[in-house]
Amino acid sequence: MVELRQLEYFVAVAEECHFTRAAKRMHVAQSGLSASIRALEVELGAPLFLRTTRQVELTQAGRALLPEARRALGSVESAKDAVAAVQGLLRGTLSVGSLQCLHVVHLPAVLSRFHELHPGVEIRMRQSGNAELVEDVRAGRLDLAFVTRQPKIADDLRVSTLSSEPLVLACSPQSPFATRESVELAELDGRSFVDFNADWGTRDEVDRALAAAGVERRVAVEVNDVHSLLDFVGFGLGVALVPQSFANKSDSVRFLGIRGDVDVPFAETVVVTGNTPGAAAGVLLDVVFEARAGRLRVAG
């Protein structure tokens, strides 16, 4: 029978790519960790690592086991958290992922409120692109992630919508479009654009919308934050399709609606968790929706 300790050792070796470092991380003797891994391989009937004198790599069987091992260990932690929550005490670690260009939730305020309520939980947060964040939640490396909705998300994930808003055209005051109230997507054919890096922010949604409208474009400037994008647009280095709420972020950029026969593209921001999020992730979601409802209180 596979034991949880064996899975913990397996994940440590897989992440460290080194038996000695994994043993140090788990505070055990290397001989004991190696023996546990060998017993796991015997139990599963397959080698999990390719061992050389210089490095350790996962076999095909090891790669298949890794996400399942992470999920199993995550479920155990969720069970512990659930019991702690019943006792009125949250513990452990909460791993959060987010797009850098998240604009519908003020994440520092949300995490500050969560820490105020549950100081015993260690918060870890990192930023990345949509696909990587979703995969990290699916693999158990993150408890939840704030991303732009993708066309297809795995069935073993839960998706909650935070906001849905139309995309609008952002252009400089000197642009030929600047005196108008709206444009058709077809008029943007061949234009230079400022946009986020691939898989970042609303880039994927914009790519899909323009492709559906048959619009070819050249992305002249790629950025990874909202304010840089609007600055480059304001100085005339390209136009951009951005969520309508970006209009509150700049006085030096003109914002126009999208009209015509095509459906107006929308940007949908969602939070992704596992199907059974842990207690800490559930509490953070409550704080997020409290913030969206305008009821967030932050200490200080």
Side-chain angles (χ1 to χ4, degrees):
M1 179 180 294
V2 175
E3 299 177 357
L4 288 175
R5 179 60 64 181
Q6 291 174 319
L7 294 180
E8 290 176 337
Y9 290 169
F10 164 73
V11 170
V13 175
E15 292 179 346
E16 298 292 341
C17 297
H18 200 278
F19 275 81
T20 301
R21 288 197 299 268
K24 184 177 180 180
R25 166 174 154 181
M26 299 304 297
H27 306 290
V28 297
Q30 181 178 334
S31 58
L33 181 141
S34 297
S36 181
I37 294 295
R38 284 195 296 272
L40 178 61
E41 290 176 322
V42 170
E43 178 69 28
L44 296 177
L48 301 174
F49 296 103
L50 296 173
R51 302 163 174 86
T52 69
T53 56
R54 289 185 294 180
Q55 64 182 12
V56 175
E57 296 181 359
L58 287 167
T59 63
Q60 185 174 355
R63 288 193 296 272
L65 176 62
L66 184 57
E68 301 302 327
R70 284 178 171 144
R71 255 195 295 273
L73 294 173
S75 295
V76 172
E77 287 302 310
S78 295
K80 292 178 181 178
D81 290 346
V83 172
V86 170
Q87 298 172 327
L89 176 67
L90 282 184
R91 52 173 291 283
T93 301
L94 178 66
S95 298
V96 180
S98 174
L99 297 172
Q100 183 171 333
C101 306
L102 185 69
H103 61 282
V104 300
V105 173
H106 191 266
L107 206 49
V110 165
L111 294 180
S112 174
R113 175 60 174 161
F114 178 90
H115 180 68
E116 175 193 351
L117 293 171
H118 302 286
V121 177
E122 178 186 355
I123 299 172
R124 296 177 184 169
M125 204 212 104
R126 72 181 188 84
Q127 296 173 327
S128 188
N130 283 304
E132 184 175 346
L133 290 172
V134 171
E135 174 57 26
D136 282 348
V137 173
R138 193 195 66 79
R141 291 185 289 269
L142 291 174
D143 295 300
L144 73 168
F146 299 92
V147 298
T148 300
R149 183 183 286 276
Q150 302 299 289
K152 186 176 173 113
I153 294 182
D155 293 338
D156 56 350
L157 296 177
R158 179 184 298 177
V159 180
S160 302
T161 299
L162 295 177
S163 76
S164 181
E165 56 182 314
L167 296 178
V168 296
L169 181 73
C171 66
S172 75
Q174 290 74 41
S175 167
F177 298 126
T179 58
R180 296 165 52 178
E181 294 298 322
S182 62
V183 296
E184 296 186 14
L185 289 181
E187 297 180 78
L188 305 180
D189 193 58
R191 296 276 176 178
S192 293
F193 275 76
V194 180
D195 210 334
F196 296 117
N197 295 327
D199 193 40
W200 209 265
T202 56
R203 173 66 181 267
D204 295 340
E205 185 58 44
V206 171
D207 285 341
R208 287 191 292 270
L210 292 178
V215 173
E216 294 188 9
R217 65 165 177 164
R218 180 175 68 90
V219 179
V221 180
E222 290 186 320
V223 298
N224 61 7
D225 72 280
V226 173
H227 298 291
S228 294
L229 182 146
L230 294 177
D231 283 344
F232 281 112
V233 169
F235 278 91
L237 293 176
V239 297
L241 287 174
V242 298
Q244 190 174 51
S245 60
F246 281 21
N248 299 322
K249 298 180 180 293
S250 176
D251 295 326
S252 60
V253 173
R254 284 279 290 120
F255 296 90
L256 294 71
I258 305 298
R259 59 178 170 79
D261 296 333
V262 299
D263 292 334
V264 175
F266 274 74
E268 189 172 1
T269 303
V270 301
V271 58
V272 177
T273 66
N275 271 331
T276 55
V283 171
L284 182 63
L285 287 177
D286 290 341
V287 177
V288 167
F289 286 104
E290 179 184 358
R292 293 293 295 154
R295 300 191 303 270
L296 180 65
R297 295 182 297 103
V298 181

